[in-house]
Amino acid sequence: MSPADPADPVTVSIHRVVSPERVPEVTAWVQDGVNLANRWPGFLGSGWIRAAEGSGDWYMLYRFADAGRLAAWEQSDERSAWLARGTGLVEEQRVQRRTGIEGWFDAPARQDQPSGPPLLPAPPRWKQATVIWLAFFPVNLTFTWLFALAVPAFATWPLPLRVLVTTVVLTPIMSYWVLPWMTGRLSGWLHRATKPG
């Protein structure tokens, strides 16, 4: 796996264990942390869910615009003070950071209520590659054809310039619209467990 770009958004998921009798205190503590993070530069959102009714397993998620602003938040005195107030309320089990292309393949989350980290692992790389190709090929083909009709001289441009124009136009279209739409349509297949050979 190639190293993540420091400018990529970073999602942090945390598994914490909470005593059932402390749920009201923990809920208030979590909300205090969300309110604090909401004022921090680069903060993109957060949420939490419990594994099941009555479960002590809580999954908390937060996202920052890039690794630098995440590090500033995680090393801040404000966050340290907030974590100190949670001592004895929760027990941290696992912390995971995700960046880059895997974010396109996270299990869908509802936007109208807090949500926890994906409960499914990222799909195998071959499935990710298949979805990217299925999304990119028709969009690239259509764009190239339409652009060539609109600008007949396009076919005579130097190859690097044609590729530059195509990628500059299609990268945001793919990232913001086509890939989210495609992964939503193929979510069942992407996250279906592969049977052992």
Side-chain angles (χ1 to χ4, degrees), residues 107-153:
R110 289 181 56 179
Q111 299 301 310
D112 60 344
Q113 65 183 23
S115 59
L119 300 180
L120 299 170
R125 286 296 173 103
W126 71 268
K127 287 188 175 184
Q128 295 180 33
T130 300
V131 171
I132 291 170
W133 183 85
L134 286 172
F136 189 76
F137 177 73
V139 171
N140 188 29
L141 180 64
T142 303
F143 172 80
T144 304
W145 175 65
L146 290 175
F147 196 78
L149 287 178
V151 184

Side-chain angles (χ1 to χ4, degrees), residues 18 22-32 48 50 58:
V18 177
R22 308 296 295 272
V23 166
E25 293 170 83
V26 173
T27 301
W29 175 73
V30 167
Q31 191 57 53
D32 287 345
W48 54 269
R50 292 183 233 175
W58 288 31

Side-chain angles (χ1 to χ4, degrees), residues 25-89:
E25 293 170 83
V26 173
T27 301
W29 175 73
V30 167
Q31 191 57 53
D32 287 345
V34 171
N35 293 341
L36 182 63
N38 266 318
R39 300 191 300 268
W40 206 262
F43 180 70
L44 299 178
S46 66
W48 54 269
I49 59 170
R50 292 183 233 175
E53 186 177 5
S55 172
D57 292 306
W58 288 31
Y59 297 92
M60 302 178 185
L61 177 81
Y62 59 91
R63 188 167 174 84
F64 272 79
D66 54 62
R69 286 182 280 186
L70 169 65
W73 157 249
E74 290 187 332
Q75 296 164 14
S76 69
D77 292 340
E78 293 93 333
R79 181 174 180 268
S80 295
W82 171 73
L83 286 173
R85 290 198 310 273
T87 302
L89 289 177

